[in-house]
């Protein structure tokens, strides 16, 4: 995790300290996410805070709060992983964490996916709703024999430039370093059109099993082909996939056994860049999109 731009903010008024997130905070962060029934493993926390930057709230050496932000190479960022221990809630710590993130991010456009409980807090800081994310998951069982798709192949290092361009067209974010980390942590496939990458999907270990995302494609049909191909290697595994409501994939995912188990409200502070014609059909993670 890069902490070079994070101030060491220690506030002693109530015996808590707001500090840059460091490796020593990982076990405490894991305990917080378990309290919230989040499926994160220690490896998932470590990955997120290596590709992003974060804060921890400490009291007497115990982590009682976390928050993270994930800047791109331009002027956008996502924020998330904002947790306050149940016993410490109602004391303004959530506000303190959000204000720390806003101060660190400066004038960047910020995107987040909010729980019901957090929406009022984010609205006070100028975040407005722009969509909904549907969380689908479950143990996946392959029905019938898998059929190879001749237009799909594994991602190679030579594809990174094309994938980054597709991703920016779909999200408005310049996030090649994140994509490189995601591919290194799992595996990906590209869909070829006229011999060139026209869509992609990445699958990696996460939580109770595997997560499929991001998925960027030009149409729902292309997205389904990439997801179906990813699922052929996950027969018998627990699979999670988070899809924007407008992607139109929820009925199909339910049909193949990945039921919707929750949703989140996508909110933005600032102006989002225009996107298209490529579209984001599945997120890498609700915190770093």
């Amino acid at each position: 995790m890069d902490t070079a731009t994070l101030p060491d903010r220690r506030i002693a008024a109530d015996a808590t300290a707001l500090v840059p997130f460091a490796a020593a905070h990982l076990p405490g962060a894991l305990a917080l996410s378990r309290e919230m029934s989040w499926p994160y493993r220690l490896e998932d926390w470590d990955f997120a805070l290596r590709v992003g930057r974060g804060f921890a709230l400490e009291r007497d050496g115990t982590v009682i709060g976390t928050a993270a932000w994930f800047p791109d190479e331009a002027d956008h960022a996502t924020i998330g992983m904002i947790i306050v221990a149940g016993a410490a809630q109602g004391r303004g710590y959530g506000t303190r964490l959000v204000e720390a993130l806003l101060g660190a991010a400066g004038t960047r456009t910020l995107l987040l996916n909010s729980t019901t409980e957090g929406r009022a807090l984010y609205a006070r800081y100028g975040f407005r709703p722009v969509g909904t994310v549907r969380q689908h998951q479950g143990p996946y069982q392959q029905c019938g024999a898998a059929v190879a798709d001749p237009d799909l192949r594994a991602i190679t290092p030579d594809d990174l430039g094309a994938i980054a361009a597709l991703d920016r067209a779909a999200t408005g974010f310049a996030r090649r370093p994140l994509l490189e980390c995601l591919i290194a942590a799992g595996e990906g496939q590209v869909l070829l059109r006229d011999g060139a990458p026209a869509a992609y999907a990445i699958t990696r270990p996460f939580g109770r099993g595997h997560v499929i995302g991001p998925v960027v494609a030009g149409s729902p049909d292309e997205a389904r082909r990439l997801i179906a191909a990813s699922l052929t290697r996950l027969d018998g595994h627990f699979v999670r996939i988070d899809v924007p409501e407008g992607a139109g994939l929820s009925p199909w995912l339910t049909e193949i056994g990945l039921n919707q188990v929750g949703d989140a409200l996508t909110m933005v502070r600032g102006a989002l860049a225009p996107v298209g014609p490529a579209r984001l059909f599945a997120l890498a993670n609700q915190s770093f999109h």
Side-chain angles (χ1 to χ4, degrees):
M1 177 179 62
D2 178 5
T3 60
T5 62
L6 295 180
D8 186 348
R9 303 179 181 185
R10 295 185 177 271
I11 304 173
D14 60 357
T16 64
L18 179 64
V19 299
F21 196 103
H25 297 122
L26 287 171
L30 179 63
L32 283 182
S33 59
R34 285 177 173 169
E35 180 184 336
M36 298 291 291
S37 298
W38 289 13
Y40 281 59
R41 307 167 302 157
L42 192 66
E43 296 92 337
D44 300 322
W45 271 101
D46 180 62
F47 180 86
L49 274 302
R50 281 189 289 110
V51 299
R53 309 170 187 179
F55 293 99
L57 265 177
E58 299 175 321
R59 181 195 291 153
D60 299 325
T62 299
V63 177
I64 64 167
T66 61
W69 68 293
F70 304 89
D72 72 353
E73 297 175 284
D75 53 4
H76 299 78
T78 59
I79 66 175
M81 306 179 85
I82 301 169
I83 309 176
V84 176
Q89 291 181 7
R91 304 181 190 181
Y93 294 139
T95 296
R96 193 160 151 190
L97 288 164
V98 170
E99 289 182 348
L101 292 177
L102 296 181
T107 60
R108 292 175 182 266
T109 291
L110 297 177
L111 197 68
L112 62 84
N113 290 298
S114 175
T115 62
T116 300
E117 295 78 11
R119 294 172 188 177
L121 171 62
Y122 301 131
R124 290 204 301 271
Y125 287 96
F127 286 88
R128 66 184 191 281
V130 291
T132 301
V133 171
R134 307 296 190 196
Q135 180 182 334
H136 288 259
Q137 66 183 41
Y140 178 70
Q141 298 296 326
Q142 183 80 38
C143 295
V147 179
D149 190 325
D151 296 324
L152 300 184
R153 64 161 170 78
I155 288 175
T156 70
D158 292 339
D159 295 324
L160 279 169
I163 289 170
L166 286 168
D167 190 81
R168 184 160 192 171
T171 66
F173 283 49
R175 54 181 195 168
R176 177 167 175 159
L178 171 62
L179 295 171
E180 291 175 346
C181 290
L182 290 169
I183 293 168
E187 57 185 16
Q189 295 191 84
V190 289
L191 184 149
L192 302 177
R193 191 185 304 137
D194 298 326
Y200 81 89
I202 298 172
T203 304
R204 62 189 174 89
F206 174 82
R208 297 169 63 185
H210 290 75
V211 63
I212 298 176
V215 177
V216 166
S219 68
D221 177 67
E222 289 182 348
R224 284 191 293 267
R225 289 168 65 185
L226 283 161
I227 294 168
S230 299
L231 287 170
T232 61
R233 295 184 298 280
L234 298 176
D235 187 22
H237 291 266
F238 191 90
V239 177
R240 173 171 173 170
I241 182 166
D242 295 273
V243 297
E245 183 179 37
L249 295 182
S250 281
W252 175 69
L253 290 169
T254 300
E255 181 181 322
I256 63 174
L258 299 177
N259 293 323
Q260 182 184 336
V261 298
D263 58 31
L265 183 69
T266 304
M267 305 180 76
V268 67
R269 183 178 190 255
L272 288 173
V275 297
R279 295 166 54 194
L280 181 68
F281 283 89
L283 281 61
N285 182 281
Q286 287 196 20
S287 291
F288 47 84
H289 235 63

PDB file of all heavy atoms in Angstrom, residues 74-102:
ATOM      1  N   ALA A  74      -5.639   9.171 -13.407  1.00  0.00           N
ATOM      2  CA  ALA A  74      -6.074  10.495 -13.837  1.00  0.00           C
ATOM      3  C   ALA A  74      -6.653  11.253 -12.643  1.00  0.00           C
ATOM      4  O   ALA A  74      -5.953  11.556 -11.695  1.00  0.00           O
ATOM      5  CB  ALA A  74      -7.086  10.360 -14.973  1.00  0.00           C
ATOM      6  N   ASP A  75      -7.947  11.530 -12.676  1.00  0.00           N
ATOM      7  CA  ASP A  75      -8.535  12.365 -11.623  1.00  0.00           C
ATOM      8  C   ASP A  75      -9.819  11.767 -11.061  1.00  0.00           C
ATOM      9  O   ASP A  75     -10.757  12.481 -10.725  1.00  0.00           O
ATOM     10  CB  ASP A  75      -8.800  13.779 -12.145  1.00  0.00           C
ATOM     11  CG  ASP A  75      -9.608  13.789 -13.430  1.00  0.00           C
ATOM     12  OD1 ASP A  75     -10.036  12.704 -13.889  1.00  0.00           O
ATOM     13  OD2 ASP A  75      -9.831  14.886 -13.987  1.00  0.00           O
ATOM     14  N   HIS A  76      -9.870  10.440 -10.993  1.00  0.00           N
ATOM     15  CA  HIS A  76     -11.008   9.739 -10.408  1.00  0.00           C
ATOM     16  C   HIS A  76     -10.508   8.784  -9.328  1.00  0.00           C
ATOM     17  O   HIS A  76      -9.335   8.433  -9.283  1.00  0.00           O
ATOM     18  CB  HIS A  76     -11.764   8.923 -11.460  1.00  0.00           C
ATOM     19  CG  HIS A  76     -12.347   9.741 -12.568  1.00  0.00           C
ATOM     20  ND1 HIS A  76     -11.593  10.228 -13.605  1.00  0.00           N
ATOM     21  CD2 HIS A  76     -13.619  10.155 -12.795  1.00  0.00           C
ATOM     22  CE1 HIS A  76     -12.368  10.909 -14.431  1.00  0.00           C
ATOM     23  NE2 HIS A  76     -13.596  10.880 -13.962  1.00  0.00           N
ATOM     24  N   ALA A  77     -11.423   8.348  -8.473  1.00  0.00           N
ATOM     25  CA  ALA A  77     -11.094   7.342  -7.464  1.00  0.00           C
ATOM     26  C   ALA A  77     -12.391   6.709  -6.973  1.00  0.00           C
ATOM     27  O   ALA A  77     -13.476   7.284  -7.123  1.00  0.00           O
ATOM     28  CB  ALA A  77     -10.336   7.954  -6.285  1.00  0.00           C
ATOM     29  N   THR A  78     -12.276   5.525  -6.405  1.00  0.00           N
ATOM     30  CA  THR A  78     -13.386   4.923  -5.686  1.00  0.00           C
ATOM     31  C   THR A  78     -13.015   4.885  -4.205  1.00  0.00           C
ATOM     32  O   THR A  78     -11.839   4.908  -3.840  1.00  0.00           O
ATOM     33  CB  THR A  78     -13.688   3.498  -6.174  1.00  0.00           C
ATOM     34  OG1 THR A  78     -12.522   2.682  -6.000  1.00  0.00           O
ATOM     35  CG2 THR A  78     -14.091   3.502  -7.639  1.00  0.00           C
ATOM     36  N   ILE A  79     -14.040   4.846  -3.343  1.00  0.00           N
ATOM     37  CA  ILE A  79     -13.794   4.713  -1.919  1.00  0.00           C
ATOM     38  C   ILE A  79     -14.648   3.573  -1.376  1.00  0.00           C
ATOM     39  O   ILE A  79     -15.674   3.217  -1.954  1.00  0.00           O
ATOM     40  CB  ILE A  79     -14.066   6.015  -1.142  1.00  0.00           C
ATOM     41  CG1 ILE A  79     -15.548   6.397  -1.178  1.00  0.00           C
ATOM     42  CG2 ILE A  79     -13.216   7.152  -1.674  1.00  0.00           C
ATOM     43  CD1 ILE A  79     -15.876   7.604  -0.312  1.00  0.00           C
ATOM     44  N   GLY A  80     -14.185   2.983  -0.281  1.00  0.00           N
ATOM     45  CA  GLY A  80     -14.933   1.873   0.292  1.00  0.00           C
ATOM     46  C   GLY A  80     -14.219   1.283   1.484  1.00  0.00           C
ATOM     47  O   GLY A  80     -13.305   1.890   2.051  1.00  0.00           O
ATOM     48  N   MET A  81     -14.642   0.075   1.875  1.00  0.00           N
ATOM     49  CA  MET A  81     -14.086  -0.627   3.029  1.00  0.00           C
ATOM     50  C   MET A  81     -14.180   0.237   4.284  1.00  0.00           C
ATOM     51  O   MET A  81     -13.298   0.226   5.142  1.00  0.00           O
ATOM     52  CB  MET A  81     -12.656  -1.091   2.747  1.00  0.00           C
ATOM     53  CG  MET A  81     -12.582  -1.931   1.472  1.00  0.00           C
ATOM     54  SD  MET A  81     -10.949  -2.511   1.011  1.00  0.00           S
ATOM     55  CE  MET A  81     -10.862  -4.004   1.990  1.00  0.00           C
ATOM     56  N   ILE A  82     -15.264   1.016   4.371  1.00  0.00           N
ATOM     57  CA  ILE A  82     -15.487   1.902   5.511  1.00  0.00           C
ATOM     58  C   ILE A  82     -16.253   1.116   6.570  1.00  0.00           C
ATOM     59  O   ILE A  82     -17.418   0.768   6.388  1.00  0.00           O
ATOM     60  CB  ILE A  82     -16.261   3.164   5.089  1.00  0.00           C
ATOM     61  CG1 ILE A  82     -15.482   3.912   4.008  1.00  0.00           C
ATOM     62  CG2 ILE A  82     -16.511   4.063   6.299  1.00  0.00           C
ATOM     63  CD1 ILE A  82     -16.262   5.020   3.330  1.00  0.00           C
ATOM     64  N   ILE A  83     -15.575   0.797   7.656  1.00  0.00           N
ATOM     65  CA  ILE A  83     -16.153  -0.013   8.722  1.00  0.00           C
ATOM     66  C   ILE A  83     -15.857   0.645  10.061  1.00  0.00           C
ATOM     67  O   ILE A  83     -14.741   1.117  10.292  1.00  0.00           O
ATOM     68  CB  ILE A  83     -15.568  -1.444   8.745  1.00  0.00           C
ATOM     69  CG1 ILE A  83     -15.629  -2.114   7.365  1.00  0.00           C
ATOM     70  CG2 ILE A  83     -16.303  -2.300   9.773  1.00  0.00           C
ATOM     71  CD1 ILE A  83     -14.972  -3.492   7.340  1.00  0.00           C
ATOM     72  N   VAL A  84     -16.835   0.654  10.942  1.00  0.00           N
ATOM     73  CA  VAL A  84     -16.646   1.052  12.337  1.00  0.00           C
ATOM     74  C   VAL A  84     -17.158  -0.088  13.204  1.00  0.00           C
ATOM     75  O   VAL A  84     -18.259  -0.613  12.977  1.00  0.00           O
ATOM     76  CB  VAL A  84     -17.388   2.355  12.679  1.00  0.00           C
ATOM     77  CG1 VAL A  84     -17.257   2.680  14.171  1.00  0.00           C
ATOM     78  CG2 VAL A  84     -16.863   3.514  11.836  1.00  0.00           C
ATOM     79  N   ALA A  85     -16.369  -0.497  14.185  1.00  0.00           N
ATOM     80  CA  ALA A  85     -16.771  -1.571  15.074  1.00  0.00           C
ATOM     81  C   ALA A  85     -18.118  -1.271  15.713  1.00  0.00           C
ATOM     82  O   ALA A  85     -18.426  -0.119  16.036  1.00  0.00           O
ATOM     83  CB  ALA A  85     -15.718  -1.778  16.163  1.00  0.00           C
ATOM     84  N   GLY A  86     -18.920  -2.301  15.883  1.00  0.00           N
ATOM     85  CA  GLY A  86     -20.259  -2.109  16.430  1.00  0.00           C
ATOM     86  C   GLY A  86     -20.252  -1.378  17.750  1.00  0.00           C
ATOM     87  O   GLY A  86     -21.074  -0.473  17.985  1.00  0.00           O
ATOM     88  N   ALA A  87     -19.324  -1.711  18.628  1.00  0.00           N
ATOM     89  CA  ALA A  87     -19.278  -1.086  19.946  1.00  0.00           C
ATOM     90  C   ALA A  87     -18.832   0.373  19.890  1.00  0.00           C
ATOM     91  O   ALA A  87     -18.991   1.101  20.870  1.00  0.00           O
ATOM     92  CB  ALA A  87     -18.333  -1.871  20.856  1.00  0.00           C
ATOM     93  N   ALA A  88     -18.278   0.803  18.742  1.00  0.00           N
ATOM     94  CA  ALA A  88     -17.787   2.173  18.614  1.00  0.00           C
ATOM     95  C   ALA A  88     -18.684   3.048  17.744  1.00  0.00           C
ATOM     96  O   ALA A  88     -18.358   4.209  17.491  1.00  0.00           O
ATOM     97  CB  ALA A  88     -16.368   2.158  18.039  1.00  0.00           C
ATOM     98  N   GLN A  89     -19.784   2.505  17.280  1.00  0.00           N
ATOM     99  CA  GLN A  89     -20.662   3.273  16.402  1.00  0.00           C
ATOM    100  C   GLN A  89     -21.451   4.326  17.185  1.00  0.00           C
ATOM    101  O   GLN A  89     -21.624   4.224  18.397  1.00  0.00           O
ATOM    102  CB  GLN A  89     -21.600   2.323  15.656  1.00  0.00           C
ATOM    103  CG  GLN A  89     -20.866   1.454  14.637  1.00  0.00           C
ATOM    104  CD  GLN A  89     -21.768   0.523  13.866  1.00  0.00           C
ATOM    105  OE1 GLN A  89     -22.985   0.579  13.970  1.00  0.00           O
ATOM    106  NE2 GLN A  89     -21.167  -0.367  13.089  1.00  0.00           N
ATOM    107  N   GLY A  90     -21.909   5.354  16.431  1.00  0.00           N
ATOM    108  CA  GLY A  90     -22.673   6.426  17.049  1.00  0.00           C
ATOM    109  C   GLY A  90     -21.827   7.507  17.688  1.00  0.00           C
ATOM    110  O   GLY A  90     -22.350   8.353  18.420  1.00  0.00           O
ATOM    111  N   ARG A  91     -20.531   7.515  17.423  1.00  0.00           N
ATOM    112  CA  ARG A  91     -19.632   8.502  18.033  1.00  0.00           C
ATOM    113  C   ARG A  91     -18.943   9.384  16.999  1.00  0.00           C
ATOM    114  O   ARG A  91     -17.972  10.067  17.314  1.00  0.00           O
ATOM    115  CB  ARG A  91     -18.585   7.794  18.890  1.00  0.00           C
ATOM    116  CG  ARG A  91     -19.180   6.893  19.969  1.00  0.00           C
ATOM    117  CD  ARG A  91     -18.107   6.233  20.802  1.00  0.00           C
ATOM    118  NE  ARG A  91     -18.670   5.211  21.671  1.00  0.00           N
ATOM    119  CZ  ARG A  91     -17.959   4.477  22.528  1.00  0.00           C
ATOM    120  NH1 ARG A  91     -16.658   4.665  22.620  1.00  0.00           N
ATOM    121  NH2 ARG A  91     -18.541   3.557  23.280  1.00  0.00           N
ATOM    122  N   GLY A  92     -19.410   9.339  15.756  1.00  0.00           N
ATOM    123  CA  GLY A  92     -18.842  10.197  14.723  1.00  0.00           C
ATOM    124  C   GLY A  92     -17.621   9.633  14.035  1.00  0.00           C
ATOM    125  O   GLY A  92     -16.983  10.323  13.230  1.00  0.00           O
ATOM    126  N   TYR A  93     -17.284   8.367  14.300  1.00  0.00           N
ATOM    127  CA  TYR A  93     -16.088   7.809  13.674  1.00  0.00           C
ATOM    128  C   TYR A  93     -16.267   7.604  12.170  1.00  0.00           C
ATOM    129  O   TYR A  93     -15.309   7.750  11.405  1.00  0.00           O
ATOM    130  CB  TYR A  93     -15.708   6.482  14.337  1.00  0.00           C
ATOM    131  CG  TYR A  93     -15.275   6.625  15.776  1.00  0.00           C
ATOM    132  CD1 TYR A  93     -15.683   5.711  16.734  1.00  0.00           C
ATOM    133  CD2 TYR A  93     -14.452   7.666  16.174  1.00  0.00           C
ATOM    134  CE1 TYR A  93     -15.287   5.833  18.065  1.00  0.00           C
ATOM    135  CE2 TYR A  93     -14.043   7.803  17.491  1.00  0.00           C
ATOM    136  CZ  TYR A  93     -14.472   6.875  18.440  1.00  0.00           C
ATOM    137  OH  TYR A  93     -14.069   7.003  19.741  1.00  0.00           O
ATOM    138  N   GLY A  94     -17.478   7.229  11.735  1.00  0.00           N
ATOM    139  CA  GLY A  94     -17.714   7.093  10.311  1.00  0.00           C
ATOM    140  C   GLY A  94     -17.495   8.406   9.586  1.00  0.00           C
ATOM    141  O   GLY A  94     -16.863   8.456   8.516  1.00  0.00           O
ATOM    142  N   THR A  95     -17.986   9.496  10.174  1.00  0.00           N
ATOM    143  CA  THR A  95     -17.771  10.823   9.597  1.00  0.00           C
ATOM    144  C   THR A  95     -16.286  11.148   9.534  1.00  0.00           C
ATOM    145  O   THR A  95     -15.786  11.676   8.533  1.00  0.00           O
ATOM    146  CB  THR A  95     -18.506  11.873  10.448  1.00  0.00           C
ATOM    147  OG1 THR A  95     -19.910  11.623  10.375  1.00  0.00           O
ATOM    148  CG2 THR A  95     -18.211  13.277   9.953  1.00  0.00           C
ATOM    149  N   ARG A  96     -15.584  10.821  10.584  1.00  0.00           N
ATOM    150  CA  ARG A  96     -14.138  11.097  10.645  1.00  0.00           C
ATOM    151  C   ARG A  96     -13.399  10.347   9.547  1.00  0.00           C
ATOM    152  O   ARG A  96     -12.499  10.897   8.877  1.00  0.00           O
ATOM    153  CB  ARG A  96     -13.634  10.676  12.020  1.00  0.00           C
ATOM    154  CG  ARG A  96     -12.256  11.151  12.394  1.00  0.00           C
ATOM    155  CD  ARG A  96     -12.154  11.070  13.894  1.00  0.00           C
ATOM    156  NE  ARG A  96     -10.803  10.829  14.346  1.00  0.00           N
ATOM    157  CZ  ARG A  96     -10.490  10.539  15.602  1.00  0.00           C
ATOM    158  NH1 ARG A  96     -11.447  10.440  16.495  1.00  0.00           N
ATOM    159  NH2 ARG A  96      -9.234  10.346  15.958  1.00  0.00           N
ATOM    160  N   LEU A  97     -13.763   9.103   9.319  1.00  0.00           N
ATOM    161  CA  LEU A  97     -13.115   8.319   8.273  1.00  0.00           C
ATOM    162  C   LEU A  97     -13.435   8.868   6.890  1.00  0.00           C
ATOM    163  O   LEU A  97     -12.548   8.973   6.030  1.00  0.00           O
ATOM    164  CB  LEU A  97     -13.550   6.861   8.386  1.00  0.00           C
ATOM    165  CG  LEU A  97     -12.963   6.090   9.569  1.00  0.00           C
ATOM    166  CD1 LEU A  97     -13.754   4.807   9.816  1.00  0.00           C
ATOM    167  CD2 LEU A  97     -11.490   5.766   9.335  1.00  0.00           C
ATOM    168  N   VAL A  98     -14.711   9.208   6.655  1.00  0.00           N
ATOM    169  CA  VAL A  98     -15.090   9.748   5.346  1.00  0.00           C
ATOM    170  C   VAL A  98     -14.364  11.070   5.086  1.00  0.00           C
ATOM    171  O   VAL A  98     -13.858  11.310   3.983  1.00  0.00           O
ATOM    172  CB  VAL A  98     -16.613   9.928   5.253  1.00  0.00           C
ATOM    173  CG1 VAL A  98     -16.996  10.710   3.999  1.00  0.00           C
ATOM    174  CG2 VAL A  98     -17.301   8.569   5.252  1.00  0.00           C
ATOM    175  N   GLU A  99     -14.278  11.929   6.087  1.00  0.00           N
ATOM    176  CA  GLU A  99     -13.595  13.205   5.902  1.00  0.00           C
ATOM    177  C   GLU A  99     -12.102  13.002   5.629  1.00  0.00           C
ATOM    178  O   GLU A  99     -11.501  13.754   4.848  1.00  0.00           O
ATOM    179  CB  GLU A  99     -13.809  14.089   7.125  1.00  0.00           C
ATOM    180  CG  GLU A  99     -15.245  14.612   7.223  1.00  0.00           C
ATOM    181  CD  GLU A  99     -15.463  15.535   8.407  1.00  0.00           C
ATOM    182  OE1 GLU A  99     -14.570  15.598   9.283  1.00  0.00           O
ATOM    183  OE2 GLU A  99     -16.538  16.173   8.451  1.00  0.00           O
ATOM    184  N   ALA A 100     -11.520  11.968   6.232  1.00  0.00           N
ATOM    185  CA  ALA A 100     -10.110  11.663   5.937  1.00  0.00           C
ATOM    186  C   ALA A 100      -9.951  11.253   4.477  1.00  0.00           C
ATOM    187  O   ALA A 100      -8.996  11.677   3.798  1.00  0.00           O
ATOM    188  CB  ALA A 100      -9.608  10.563   6.862  1.00  0.00           C
ATOM    189  N   LEU A 101     -10.870  10.439   3.967  1.00  0.00           N
ATOM    190  CA  LEU A 101     -10.802  10.020   2.562  1.00  0.00           C
ATOM    191  C   LEU A 101     -10.977  11.215   1.629  1.00  0.00           C
ATOM    192  O   LEU A 101     -10.246  11.361   0.642  1.00  0.00           O
ATOM    193  CB  LEU A 101     -11.884   8.980   2.277  1.00  0.00           C
ATOM    194  CG  LEU A 101     -11.729   7.618   2.950  1.00  0.00           C
ATOM    195  CD1 LEU A 101     -12.924   6.733   2.608  1.00  0.00           C
ATOM    196  CD2 LEU A 101     -10.436   6.932   2.527  1.00  0.00           C
ATOM    197  N   LEU A 102     -11.946  12.076   1.945  1.00  0.00           N
ATOM    198  CA  LEU A 102     -12.194  13.233   1.088  1.00  0.00           C
ATOM    199  C   LEU A 102     -10.984  14.162   1.074  1.00  0.00           C
ATOM    200  O   LEU A 102     -10.613  14.710   0.030  1.00  0.00           O
ATOM    201  CB  LEU A 102     -13.434  13.993   1.563  1.00  0.00           C
ATOM    202  CG  LEU A 102     -14.763  13.240   1.496  1.00  0.00           C
ATOM    203  CD1 LEU A 102     -15.903  14.123   1.976  1.00  0.00           C
ATOM    204  CD2 LEU A 102     -15.042  12.729   0.081  1.00  0.00           C
TER     205      LEU A 102
END
